[in-house]
Amino acid sequence: MTRLFLDDGRHCPVTVLALEGCEVVGQRTPERDGYSAVQVGSGSVPARNIAKPQRAAGEKSGAPLKRHVREFRVSPENILETGSRFRSGHFVVGQYVDARGVTIGKGFAGAMKRHNFGGLRASHGVSISHRSHGSTGNSQDPGRVFKGKKMAGQMGARQRTIQNLQVVSTDEERGVILVKGGVPGAPGSWLTLSDAVKRALPPGVPFPAGIEETPAPQAVDEAQDQIDESAAATQENDVPVEAGGEE
């Protein structure tokens, strides 16, 4: 996390999110699968760390292997081609997004830390169990502890979603997105960003998505010809010089 000062002088705490090769690695079509969706992958990973079914699917589609893959439902006319790479300009400034990730794991925690219990009294008969959660139910009736009772246990390491985070700024050159406030997870963890389900999209959102433009084959050939011509001119201008000289 860091902070920004907006144009009107307001101080805004932001979280910096980076894109790592976020591109389309698969498709779901109504004719074949009964619904329409795109599979988006991010992060590089060695082939030996991918299960055989995923490796076979990647080889069949020609898409590169990715560390994390998420599926997003889209309308049939918005299905993107495999290999389409997203840019940070996919989200525009002022847009609201939902961030889903795994929270920081805290291990086994007591009731005071896990559920914000007040604990027992500091004196007057209480010994050893000042931070205990107290009674968990009646005796013979019902004779058991109800499911869902707030008690000590594993804290954190749960998938959570924070809704309505506002996009403050984007940097397409470095591939980063700055959102207002915090997001679930530790620094360096993975997140899934999607359009906010409770907010309408602002004007100017790229449709169907913010995709990096790939140069046409003709433009690539012309650029390569220019590089070859400049290299040839450099070689012609070079003059051989003998080492050493007369005293």
Side-chain angles (χ1 to χ4, degrees):
M1 293 191 68
T2 182
R3 62 178 181 173
L4 290 180
F5 288 96
L6 305 181
D7 296 336
D8 55 2
R10 289 182 299 154
H11 164 262
C12 181
V14 297
T15 302
V16 183
L17 308 177
L19 300 179
E20 290 191 11
C22 188
E23 59 183 294
V24 178
V25 297
Q27 300 173 340
R28 293 290 182 265
T29 58
E31 297 78 15
R32 183 185 61 189
D33 306 294
Y35 67 99
S36 56
V38 292
Q39 291 181 333
V40 180
S42 182
S44 59
V45 61
R48 64 178 180 273
N49 295 345
I50 300 296
K52 284 186 178 181
Q54 282 72 28
R55 272 198 310 233
E59 294 174 357
K60 183 177 180 180
S61 63
L65 299 178
K66 294 295 182 178
R67 182 174 297 274
H68 295 278
V69 178
R70 297 291 182 269
E71 188 172 288
F72 297 88
R73 292 290 186 98
V74 296
S75 55
E77 61 272 11
N78 292 335
I79 295 180
L80 301 174
E81 296 295 333
T82 302
S84 300
R85 179 168 294 210
F86 290 87
R87 54 186 176 86
S88 58
H90 176 76
F91 298 110
V92 299
V93 176
Q95 180 180 354
Y96 288 88
V97 297
D98 296 340
R100 183 170 70 252
V102 178
T103 59
I104 299 175
K106 304 292 185 180
F108 190 94
M112 293 182 67
K113 180 177 180 179
R114 190 184 186 198
H115 302 293
N116 199 28
F117 280 14
L120 304 187
R121 302 179 68 179
S123 61
H124 296 287
V126 178
S127 61
I128 304 177
S129 57
H130 300 283
R131 295 180 62 89
S132 65
H133 50 65
S135 175
T136 58
N138 297 329
S139 179
Q140 186 174 357
D141 185 18
R144 62 187 178 89
V145 177
F146 289 111
K147 291 183 179 180
K149 182 68 177 178
K150 293 181 178 180
M151 302 175 68
Q154 167 67 34
M155 181 180 178
R158 299 287 190 271
Q159 181 173 283
R160 294 292 182 264
T161 302
I162 297 183
Q163 296 181 324
N164 302 330
L165 296 174
Q166 188 176 19
V167 177
V168 178
S169 177
T170 59
D171 189 340
E172 295 194 13
E173 294 183 359
R174 292 184 291 180
V176 297
I177 303 173
L178 278 67
V179 297
K180 184 178 181 180
V183 296
S189 59
W190 293 86
L191 291 173
T192 302
L193 285 185
S194 57
D195 298 332
V197 297
K198 296 181 179 179
R199 297 292 187 101
L201 291 176
V205 175
F207 183 83
I211 302 297
E212 292 183 0
E213 296 182 0
T214 56
Q218 182 179 359
V220 175
D221 296 339
E222 292 177 357
Q224 185 63 37
D225 294 341
Q226 293 179 358
I227 294 174
D228 296 340
E229 291 176 0
S230 61
T234 303
Q235 292 177 359
E236 292 177 358
N237 295 331
D238 290 342
V239 178
V241 179
E242 294 181 359
E246 296 181 358
E247 294 183 357

